[in-house]
Amino acid sequence: MRRLSMAAALPLLALLAACQNGAATKTDASAFPEPNRPVANVVATQFSNEPAREAANEAQIVMDWADTRPGMTVADIGAGEGYYTVRLGDRVGAKGRVLAQDIDRAVLTRLGERVARDRLDNVSIKLGAQDDPGLPDASFDRVFMIHMYHEIAQPYAFLWHLRPALKADGEVIIVDADRPTANHGTPPSLLFCELKAVGYRLTGYEERPDIGAYIARFAPQGDRPEPSAITPCAAPEPAPELAPEPAKR
C-alpha cells in the first residue's frame, strides 16, 4: 500500500475526524416518521457492471450535469465497488477531496484496496448508517447518491442528518430509475416529496434514457424542521396493470 505524503494525508485525517465528531451528535431514528412505501433490499453493490456504465459515459454525464469541478469536496454515498469514487477523485483533482461511504464493511474493504492500488491520495472511506451519513458540518460541495436512494431504510432521518454537511451552496445529486421502490427505483414525484418534507428544494431535474435513469439535484431551503414536524409522504399509487391482450382468433 502506498504511503500518503503528510500534505495529502492531513486533510483526509481532518475530514475523517470531523465525520466521527458529527456522528456523535445524531438524533435517534425513532424520532422520525417511517416511509409509507417499500424499501428495496440491498441485493448488489453495483447497479450495473462497470464496463457497461463506462460505455454509456454515465459518470461523466452525471458529474458534468452536477457541475463538479476541480478543488471540490464531494461525498459518494453508497459507493459500492467505487465506479463513481475513482472518477470523482480524478475530477476534483489533487486539491479536491472525496469521501466514499457504504454500509457494507466487506464492500468498504474491497474499495479501500482499490483506492490504495489506484493511488487515490484524495479519497478516504467511511462506514455509514441507514439513518445517518455522519458527515462533518458545512464540508461538502456535492453529495452524490447513485442508484441507492430506494435502499435507504430511514430516508427522513438520513436526509435530516445529511443537511448540515452541505456547504452554503452545496447540493445533493440523486440518480435513480423511475420505477417503484420495491423494484429498485424511486418515482420522481415521491423523491421530490420526501426531500421537500425535510427542507430541500429541487434545483434541477433531467431524464436521461442514455443512462437508464433520471438525475435530480437539491439544495437546503429554510430551517431544518424538527423531526416531529416532518410529515411523511403518502404511499405512491401502484402502477396501473396492463389490460390483457385479446385472444387471437
Side-chain angles (χ1 to χ4, degrees):
M1 181 179 295
R2 182 186 180 186
R3 295 184 181 276
L4 301 182
S5 67
M6 185 57 67
L10 284 176
L12 296 181
L13 292 173
L15 182 60
L16 288 174
C19 286
Q20 297 299 329
N21 293 336
T25 60
K26 67 180 291 184
T27 298
D28 190 87
S30 62
F32 297 87
E34 296 284 336
N36 289 320
R37 43 85 168 174
V39 175
N41 294 325
V42 181
V43 296
T45 58
Q46 294 177 321
F47 163 70
S48 178
N49 69 74
E50 193 157 321
R53 300 176 84 173
E54 191 64 4
N57 208 30
E58 179 187 331
Q60 301 302 321
I61 289 170
V62 173
M63 291 189 297
D64 289 347
W65 191 87
D67 192 25
T68 311
R69 303 185 301 274
M72 282 186 165
T73 297
V74 303
D76 182 12
I77 307 296
E81 307 294 336
Y83 169 70
Y84 271 83
T85 298
V86 299
R87 289 158 180 82
L88 285 167
D90 184 61
R91 175 64 67 94
V92 301
K95 294 184 178 180
R97 294 290 177 263
V98 180
L99 178 64
Q101 191 181 84
D102 206 283
I103 62 172
D104 188 321
R105 291 181 183 274
V107 165
L108 284 183
T109 297
R110 295 196 297 273
L111 180 55
E113 293 170 351
R114 181 175 188 177
V115 167
R117 183 178 64 250
D118 292 350
R119 299 181 177 181
L120 302 176
D121 292 352
N122 61 349
V123 174
S124 57
I125 61 175
K126 182 180 185 295
L127 184 69
Q130 284 278 10
D131 64 327
D132 183 1
L135 303 180
D137 290 353
S139 296
F140 293 91
D141 299 288
R142 300 286 185 270
V143 173
F144 290 85
M145 301 166 65
I146 310 296
H147 291 294
M148 55 75 67
Y149 183 83
H150 49 268
E151 296 175 352
I152 301 175
Q154 300 288 339
Y156 299 109
F158 188 94
L159 293 169
W160 191 88
H161 285 112
L162 174 62
R163 264 193 58 155
L166 294 168
K167 293 181 180 180
D169 57 351
E171 293 184 307
V172 176
I173 310 299
I174 297 178
V175 176
D176 215 339
D178 183 2
R179 53 176 177 255
T181 54
N183 294 336
H184 290 271
T186 308
S189 59
L190 177 62
L191 181 75
F192 303 161
C193 180
E194 291 188 347
L195 274 94
K196 183 178 180 180
V198 191
Y200 294 82
R201 64 184 176 89
L202 180 69
T203 57
Y205 175 81
E206 185 173 345
E207 295 180 1
R208 296 298 304 240
D210 49 344
I211 62 172
Y214 61 78
I215 317 172
R217 58 198 296 173
F218 301 86
Q221 183 176 42
D223 295 330
R224 185 172 61 162
E226 292 297 321
S228 59
I230 297 173
T231 301
C233 299
E237 301 235 351
E241 294 185 7
L242 296 176
E245 293 185 6
K248 295 182 179 180
R249 299 192 179 191

